[in-house]
């Protein structure tokens, strides 16, 4: 699959934009704060209905405007699909696929598969566990609609359960209600745990080989899924933790406390890895993600690289660029010099200046 074009109206610093992409390597370059990342953000929105930055919809509407439009045309199996998104300052966003409004954003998932790679991803291994869970969730939600639905339900119930824990503190009669929440938490949570386990198993098979290539077999990598609980014992563990939960007003067991641990040569690199080791592992992780998506949906996802190449040394840059020859890539960077000598076969180059984008001719 690849993105044919993007149209923006009143999105961030864009008044009106029409941009067409090549099916292979595209570069958007320009100084800081000109609107490069904003374009990638709009594309990520079209795939996931959310910003990769994690902000609110209305923050994306151009200052002093009331609404904005994002229109993306995707080519999939030689068929063109149109995704329209209408963000409004005062109400929920509207989404249409091929001109037909959809009611649930889950209907959009899977139409466009995007892998976003930013400099922050290079430190994913050392950041908090929430960042690693987010990595799992973003990918699994794009691949599995049940996961997407169950995750949303799980988070909602978790929130309600934590509220109830507080209320029970001064109203013990509400204790019975906890059973109802617990049962649902286990239903949705178990599915999440099992799917994450599958995904990490799959990831392990792929990342080993990728990492071998990157490090010249010097480093053996593996990823451990550090589960808060097994799905089969979730109910039991929840019950056992109940008194503790009531005292602390939080749910102490469940997939919202999962983590992934990265080991190279049997050393936990989160704690003991050098910066280079951590970056290499993150890079192998991202490339494995492309591979998994490709094998599951039988199509190549679109890769967005936001300012990431300048963060890598030339060895890692080459490794990355050699691994993306059959996917559509949209790269942002501040200068073109870093590529011209790198034998990167660039198909289309755009310069971004203050919310306008111009094609740079050969
Ligand atoms: N809602 C909005 N309305 C208008 N302009 C906005 C809005 N949100 C952000 N901007 C502007 O968008 C610009 C930032 O765009 P973006 O993050 O895409 O920059 P960039 O080209 O990626 O820069 P860098 O190289 O620093 O990453 C800033 O000038 C900011 O003021
Ligand atoms: Mg940027």
């Amino acid at each position: 699959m690849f993105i044919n074009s993007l149209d923006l109206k009143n999105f961030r610093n864009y008044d009106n934009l029409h941009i067409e992409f090549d099916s292979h390597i595209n570069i958007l370059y320009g100084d800081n704060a000109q609107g490069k990342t904003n374009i990638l953000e709009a594309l990520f929105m079209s795939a996931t209905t959310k910003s990769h930055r994690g902000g609110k919809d209305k923050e994306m509407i151009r200052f002093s405007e009331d609404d904005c439009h994002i229109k993306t045309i995707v080519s999939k199996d030689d068929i063109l699909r149109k995704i329209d998104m209408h963000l409004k300052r005062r109400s929920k966003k509207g989404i249409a696929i091929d001109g037909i409004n959809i009611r649930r954003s889950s209907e959009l998932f899977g139409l466009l598969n995007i892998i976003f790679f930013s400099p922050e991803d290079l430190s994913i291994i050392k950041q908090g566990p929430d960042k690693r869970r987010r990595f799992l969730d973003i990918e699994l939600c794009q691949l599995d609609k049940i996961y997407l639905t169950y995750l949303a339900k799980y988070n909602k119930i978790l929130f309600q359960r934590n509220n109830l824990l507080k209320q029970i503190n001064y109203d013990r009669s509400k204790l019975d209600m906890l059973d109802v929440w617990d049962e649902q938490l286990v239903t949705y949570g178990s599915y999440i745990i099992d799917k994450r386990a599958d995904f990490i198993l799959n990831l392990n098979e792929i990342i080993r080989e990728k990492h071998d290539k990157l490090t010249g077999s010097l480093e053996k990598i593996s990823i451990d899924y550090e589960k808060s609980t097994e799905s089969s014992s979730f109910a039991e563990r929840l019950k056992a933790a109940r008194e503790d939960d009531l005292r602390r007003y939080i749910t102490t067991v469940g997939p919202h406390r999962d983590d992934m641990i990265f080991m190279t040569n049997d050393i936990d690199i989160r704690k003991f890895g050098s910066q280079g080791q951590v970056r290499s592992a993150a890079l192998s992780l991202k490339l494995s993600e492309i591979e998994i998506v490709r094998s599951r949906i039988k199509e190549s996802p679109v890769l967005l690289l936001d300012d990431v190449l300048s963060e890598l040394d030339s060895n890692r840059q080459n490794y990355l660029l050699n691994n993306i020859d059959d996917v559509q890539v949209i790269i942002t960077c501040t200068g073109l010099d870093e590529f011209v000598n790198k034998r990167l076969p660039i198909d289309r180059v755009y310069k971004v200046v203050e919310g306008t984008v111009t094609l740079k001719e050969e």
Side-chain angles (χ1 to χ4, degrees), residues 32-33 36-38 53 306-307 332:
N32 297 128
K36 302 180 299 292
T37 302
N38 292 345
R53 290 179 165 121
D306 193 17
D307 238 338
T332 72

Side-chain angles (χ1 to χ4, degrees), residues 12-13 32-38 53 59 61-63:
R12 296 256 188 216
N13 65 335
N32 297 128
Q34 302 302 305
K36 302 180 299 292
T37 302
N38 292 345
R53 290 179 165 121
E59 289 164 12
I61 300 170
R62 194 175 155 94
F63 303 139

Side-chain angles (χ1 to χ4, degrees), residues 72-86:
T72 306
I73 297 191
V74 178
S75 179
K76 212 175 165 180
D77 300 322
D78 292 328
I79 295 169
L80 294 182
R81 308 295 304 271
K82 193 169 86 180
I83 304 165
D84 277 297
M85 217 166 263
H86 184 189

Side-chain angles (χ1 to χ4, degrees), residues 163-185:
N163 268 339
L164 184 64
L165 290 168
K166 282 182 210 120
Q167 292 168 19
I168 292 171
N169 202 34
Y170 50 83
D171 183 1
R172 286 305 272 195
S173 70
K174 288 189 168 154
L175 201 56
D176 290 345
M177 278 165 69
L178 209 50
D179 289 332
V180 183
W181 292 136
D182 285 8
E183 196 181 311
Q184 292 193 48
L185 210 59

Side-chain angles (χ1 to χ4, degrees), residues 5 13 22 27 36 48 50 54 69 74 88 120 122 124 128 175 192 216 220 224 229 263 283 305 319 326 332 334 339:
S5 65
N13 65 335
D22 188 88
I27 302 236
K36 302 180 299 292
T48 66
K50 297 217 166 62
H69 291 267
V74 178
K88 301 160 211 171
E120 293 89 76
L122 285 168
I124 186 173
L175 201 56
I192 293 168
K220 297 277 166 225
D224 286 345
T229 172
M263 313 281 286
L283 187 53
L305 298 181
Y319 170 67
D326 54 350
T332 72
T334 43
F339 301 102

